[in-house]
Amino acid sequence: MTRTAMLSRSTSESSVDLTLNLDGTGTYDISTGVRFYDHMLESFSKHSLIDLQVKAEGDVEVDGHHTVEDTAIVLGQAIREALGDKSGISRFGDAMVPLDEALAQAVVDVAGRPFVAHSGEPDAQAYAIIGGTYSGSMTQHVFQTLAYNAGLALHVRLISGRDPHHIVECQFKAVARALRAAIAPDPRVVGVPSAKGAL
């Protein structure tokens, strides 16, 4: 079974074209107009092993928010589509990732019931501007948007961190590694990994 998706979304604020392969090797070609976000999505692709192509254009002269959010919407929808009925997946994933002084943990359940718990960032992180167009407050919003559109229960906890760039990046990498484990096929799983018979 090929677990791929190709989706587009267009509004008055942005346009997003996205292609992914859940069973890839972590290759990417990403351009959103928000360079730091590109860097985070590249790390996400590399560490989740999801091949990811993203071309987004938006009103970044107003703010990076619209493009960042709309890209997360399409990424979540594409993950959900590519997963299909979720037969044979591991379902749960857990990862802890350091980046110098920063350390983050992410836990994923491909449950079909969206939920996000996000904690540990210092208060000042929300006001940090990274790369000129990415605000620290967007990280939680990206995870919420991704999880709600992909159907994930996602818990992300920043355990330590001081540098705003490191704080964001270790969280993206932790989510990527946890998702990689959760969507991986498990040869011992027969059908959908739920006593209900559906996720």
Side-chain angles (χ1 to χ4, degrees):
M1 183 179 71
T2 302
R3 300 193 299 170
T4 61
M6 181 184 297
L7 294 178
S8 297
R9 172 184 167 90
S10 183
T11 72
S12 61
E13 298 169 338
S14 73
S15 63
V16 181
D17 296 303
L18 184 148
T19 302
L20 61 73
N21 177 3
L22 298 184
D23 300 306
T25 59
T27 63
Y28 53 79
D29 181 11
I30 297 167
S31 176
T32 67
V34 180
R35 185 63 193 101
F36 181 74
Y37 191 42
D38 292 351
H39 177 39
M40 294 303 97
L41 292 176
E42 290 163 1
S43 290
F44 175 84
S45 171
K46 179 60 68 175
H47 294 285
S48 66
L49 297 181
I50 296 172
D51 291 345
L52 186 59
Q53 290 80 46
V54 180
K55 175 63 176 176
E57 296 180 353
D59 55 359
V60 293
E61 71 281 359
V62 175
D63 192 298
H65 182 108
H66 298 146
T67 303
V68 170
E69 177 182 46
D70 290 354
T71 300
I73 289 171
V74 179
L75 177 57
Q77 291 173 345
I79 290 171
R80 186 172 200 143
E81 179 178 313
L83 280 168
D85 68 0
K86 305 168 191 170
S87 292
I89 66 168
S90 297
R91 178 177 169 178
F92 300 101
D94 181 7
M96 190 175 290
V97 173
L99 178 55
D100 296 346
E101 88 297 345
L103 178 65
Q105 181 181 30
V107 182
V108 172
D109 177 8
V110 186
R113 297 185 310 280
F115 183 86
V116 175
H118 183 261
S119 64
E121 286 187 348
D123 291 342
Q125 180 68 14
Y127 307 103
I129 303 298
I130 309 167
T133 50
Y134 183 95
S135 65
S137 63
M138 285 303 301
T139 303
Q140 179 174 314
H141 189 52
V142 168
F143 294 152
Q144 288 174 333
T145 304
L146 173 67
Y148 274 77
N149 283 277
L152 308 175
L154 174 62
H155 290 246
V156 183
R157 179 170 60 114
L158 181 72
I159 297 166
S160 64
R162 183 173 183 273
D163 180 90
H165 183 142
H166 294 171
I167 286 172
V168 179
E169 187 168 349
C170 72
Q171 291 181 79
F172 268 85
K173 288 178 176 177
V175 170
R177 295 289 299 204
L179 183 62
R180 172 178 164 179
I183 66 175
D186 184 333
R188 297 177 62 197
V189 174
V190 178
V192 176
S194 171
K196 297 190 298 291
L199 288 174

